[in-house]
Amino acid sequence: MTSILTNGSAMTALSTLRGIGAQLSSASQQMSSGLRVSTASDNAAYWSISTSMRSDVGAMEAVTDSLGLAMGIVDTAYAAMETVRQSFVEIRNLAITASDMPQPGMQDAIKPTFSLDPEYAKSDVYKIDVRIQQLQDQAKAAMLSASFAGVNMIYHGKNEDVKASEQVFSFVTGYADGKVQTMDVSAMDTLLLNDDFGSYPTTYPGEFNPEQTLFDGSDVIDAPGSFTPASIYWYNIPVSNPVTGDPEAYPVSSTYILQSIENHVVRFGSDRRGLYSNLVANIDSKIQQLTSKMAYVGSVQSALDLYDENNKKRIDVATRGIGRLVDADMEVTAVKLRALETQQQLAINGLHLANSQPSTILRLFG
């Protein structure tokens, strides 16, 4: 009878020890992994929800990368625009200075616009014209180099995949309900120079050209005292392709802005001071239009910053939500682990006691 009782006690202690061991293993695993729901078998509902949320967080982290790229593109464009604006502010100021200088001579009044007149080249106005050309070149270099990750928001070259009027810059801004959210920016709202504007088949001078941007082609300047307006060119000019006859844009350098004004005074008898005043007003208008474009690009910058901030907050919220569902409470788990270790030790002591009972009984009958 004693042997049976003793074996029963040992079996009970052993069974208890095994149960405690399983619980102890589970608690230890939670402590090491930090998770109380690591597989579907732990809690199917929580596991399913947390898995979906983790997928969303991964998508939102990809959005963060895309927003970083977008902000780099827009910031680069804005910085280049600022360089262009500063250049043209100085060009305007130099034009004001030139208007007060003595009128230069002109050897050939009908000399082509882009060919330097030797008599004009001796004047102080020409020296200012040279400085203006340097500033034009500086502005153009800024426009052409405003590329980030292969995207340039202010310059459109020849032979691009789409025309400038059809080009759209699409920036990823978020992810929600399984869909990627984007913000679209029309290229014509940001472009300053389009070397492909001459591909549009205009039929007469001054016709609206949907491809023309801020510094393309000619600017027509009203010339007081003359029936013929003056024209100046900044970077390119539309002419016909000599082979196909199709309209194209071609770069022009140097453009001799001030020579064009002085030539017009000599050739058509326009009022010099009035013509210069209109030239300055024209450049001022360019600066204002450029400033408006910069304001728009600045608003895109602000929008992207807000999208980025919101996306990061959503990632934090989702990550904390996942933690609430699946993460183990480390303090509770630690207390449970210590309790299970204590129970395990007691079970071991019980098993040892049960195993020692037969020899104790034998000694009593010995």
Side-chain angles (χ1 to χ4, degrees):
M1 187 69 176
T2 301
S3 176
I4 294 173
L5 287 173
T6 301
N7 289 341
S9 298
M11 290 299 291
T12 300
L14 184 60
S15 176
T16 300
L17 187 61
R18 285 173 178 166
I20 293 171
Q23 294 179 57
L24 189 62
S25 175
S26 175
S28 298
Q29 194 172 32
Q30 286 183 17
M31 283 290 290
S32 60
S33 68
L35 298 175
R36 65 186 175 91
V37 179
S38 57
T39 64
S41 61
D42 294 329
N43 187 314
Y46 282 5
W47 179 85
S48 176
I49 294 170
S50 63
T51 299
S52 297
M53 290 177 70
R54 282 196 185 98
S55 177
D56 288 346
V57 168
M60 286 186 283
E61 287 173 344
V63 168
T64 296
D65 294 338
S66 296
L67 280 166
L69 181 63
M71 288 187 286
I73 292 170
V74 177
D75 290 349
T76 300
Y78 187 88
M81 284 176 147
E82 180 60 31
T83 298
V84 176
R85 192 191 69 83
Q86 291 173 353
S87 296
F88 273 84
V89 166
E90 191 169 347
I91 288 172
R92 178 201 61 195
N93 296 342
L94 287 171
I96 294 172
T97 300
S99 68
D100 283 333
M101 287 185 168
Q103 181 177 342
M106 197 69 60
Q107 178 176 302
D108 185 358
I110 60 172
K111 184 175 285 292
T113 302
F114 310 120
S115 177
L116 180 62
D117 185 277
E119 188 64 27
Y120 170 75
K122 299 174 184 178
S123 69
D124 289 337
V125 173
Y126 168 68
K127 294 176 184 177
I128 293 181
D129 218 350
V130 170
R131 176 56 184 156
I132 287 176
Q133 186 63 54
Q134 291 170 346
L135 290 165
Q136 282 180 238
D137 294 343
Q138 174 181 293
K140 184 176 183 179
M143 287 186 270
L144 268 61
S145 63
S147 180
F148 188 94
V151 179
N152 191 327
M153 295 182 70
I154 64 175
Y155 171 73
H156 187 275
K158 285 187 178 182
N159 304 318
E160 292 199 22
D161 293 338
V162 296
K163 289 187 175 296
S165 61
E166 301 169 355
Q167 188 176 21
V168 175
F169 304 110
S170 186
F171 301 124
V172 173
T173 57
Y175 178 83
D177 299 325
K179 296 179 181 178
V180 175
Q181 300 165 333
T182 60
M183 177 175 65
D184 293 338
V185 176
S186 172
M188 294 305 291
D189 291 332
T190 63
L191 287 174
L192 304 183
L193 182 63
N194 178 17
D195 281 344
D196 196 38
F197 89 104
S199 62
Y200 184 77
T202 56
T203 56
Y204 59 88
E207 179 184 2
F208 172 72
N209 183 345
E211 305 302 323
Q212 189 167 2
T213 55
L214 191 56
F215 294 108
D216 297 329
S218 65
D219 288 340
V220 178
I221 313 295
D222 183 52
S226 171
F227 293 108
T228 305
S231 294
I232 58 172
Y233 293 85
W234 295 109
Y235 296 110
N236 50 24
I237 181 173
V239 294
S240 297
N241 184 297
V243 177
T244 65
D246 295 330
E248 288 188 9
Y250 290 88
V252 288
S253 182
S254 300
T255 57
Y256 303 118
I257 301 301
L258 299 186
Q259 178 180 262
S260 297
I261 298 301
E262 298 291 357
N263 178 275
H264 195 280
V265 172
V266 173
R267 185 175 183 182
F268 297 101
S270 56
D271 175 67
R272 183 170 183 264
R273 184 167 294 277
L275 184 53
Y276 263 103
S277 178
N278 290 342
L279 170 65
V280 171
N282 175 271
I283 299 173
D284 259 330
S285 176
K286 291 283 187 190
I287 294 170
Q288 290 301 318
Q289 293 177 67
L290 174 56
T291 302
S292 295
K293 284 179 178 282
M294 290 178 68
Y296 175 67
V297 172
S299 71
V300 174
Q301 284 179 306
S302 298
L304 291 174
D305 286 339
L306 288 174
Y307 281 123
D308 186 48
E309 182 179 351
N310 180 61
N311 190 62
K312 288 177 179 176
K313 286 180 179 177
R314 290 183 62 211
I315 290 174
D316 290 340
V317 169
T319 301
R320 287 197 298 269
I322 293 170
R324 292 189 186 99
L325 289 175
V326 302
D327 288 352
D329 187 324
M330 301 307 286
E331 291 185 6
V332 173
T333 303
V335 171
K336 180 180 179 182
L337 184 62
R338 285 194 294 272
L340 287 169
E341 288 172 343
T342 301
Q343 291 179 39
Q344 183 184 47
Q345 187 59 48
L346 290 172
I348 291 172
N349 291 340
L351 183 61
H352 178 72
L353 180 61
N355 286 334
S356 66
Q357 285 178 359
S359 59
T360 302
I361 294 172
L362 288 175
R363 280 199 301 273
L364 290 173
F365 289 94

